[in-house]
Amino acid sequence: MKPETPPITVRRATVADATSFVRINGDPAVLPNLLQVPYPSEEFWTQRLGEILAPGKADILLVAERPDASGQPQVVGNAGLLASGAALRRRHVMNLGIAIASDAQGQGVGSTLMKALCDWADHWGQVLRIELTVFTDNARAIALYRRFGFVQEGVHRGYALRNGAYADTYSMARLHPAQPSIGAAA
């Protein structure tokens, strides 16, 4: 009988999560599928998290936790929606990023984070369009994105240097499934 997987909880990231971002995003099994560089530092992630989480920012950054062997919560994934830029005509667009610890992949962590981000975007964030890029050989991530309504819109040839070779990515996007309308006056 397969052992039961511990429950996954989602919460907003904090600056105190910098160590977890270093551990997950710097993992040699995770890093090649991110647009990060090797040897991340805690100082970098402390500063980056401080910028993303600053009051008044439209960005949202979440972490997924589950109990470790001693029952203490351990961050096993992170995901966020970052504003596409300052251009007035693109304020309805956010860019998605996600990273799951190598030992937590295939256990529902990515789906849990995606569900939370899509709910936030659709019901609270005034987001019409979520965009992402994904390496063309990352079948697991592509399948996850498709389950949440993302469609491939294009291919970027030689998009990013990865392990000493230029790699292609897909451009994928998801439009709000039921765009909000103006409700009846109360």
Side-chain angles (χ1 to χ4, degrees), residues 12-31:
R12 285 265 188 159
T14 69
V15 173
D17 292 315
T19 302
S20 296
F21 276 75
V22 170
R23 176 179 47 81
I24 293 169
N25 295 9
D27 182 333
V30 176
L31 177 71

Side-chain angles (χ1 to χ4, degrees), residues 2-8 66-67 103-104 106-109:
K2 186 177 176 181
E4 187 175 316
T5 304
I8 301 165
R66 69 176 183 203
D103 62 349
Q107 300 172 23
V109 177

Side-chain angles (χ1 to χ4, degrees), residues 25-97:
N25 295 9
D27 182 333
V30 176
L31 177 71
N33 285 315
L34 306 177
L35 289 177
Q36 305 290 326
V37 293
Y39 314 113
S41 71
E42 192 169 332
E43 292 79 14
F44 168 82
W45 276 107
T46 298
Q47 179 180 349
R48 181 80 175 117
L49 290 169
E51 292 166 1
I52 292 171
L53 302 171
K57 295 284 294 244
D59 305 334
I60 182 170
L61 194 55
L62 303 176
V63 295
E65 292 180 320
R66 69 176 183 203
D68 62 15
S70 65
Q72 296 299 310
Q74 179 181 22
V75 174
V76 292
N78 61 73
L81 294 174
L82 305 179
S84 182
L88 177 64
R89 293 173 59 190
R90 298 258 306 150
R91 287 190 184 164
H92 62 287
V93 180
M94 298 196 88
N95 295 307
L96 184 139

Side-chain angles (χ1 to χ4, degrees), residues 16 18 27 31 46 56 73 98 101 119 124 129 141 145 152 168 172 176:
D27 182 333
L31 177 71
T46 298
I98 187 168
D119 177 71
W124 305 101
R129 178 180 170 87
Y145 301 143
Q152 180 183 329
D168 299 345
M172 297 183 79
H176 192 300

Side-chain angles (χ1 to χ4, degrees), residues 134-147 170 172:
V134 58
F135 287 103
T136 58
D137 61 356
N138 191 345
R140 179 179 272 168
I142 293 166
L144 173 67
Y145 301 143
R146 285 187 174 140
R147 282 196 310 275
Y170 292 134
M172 297 183 79

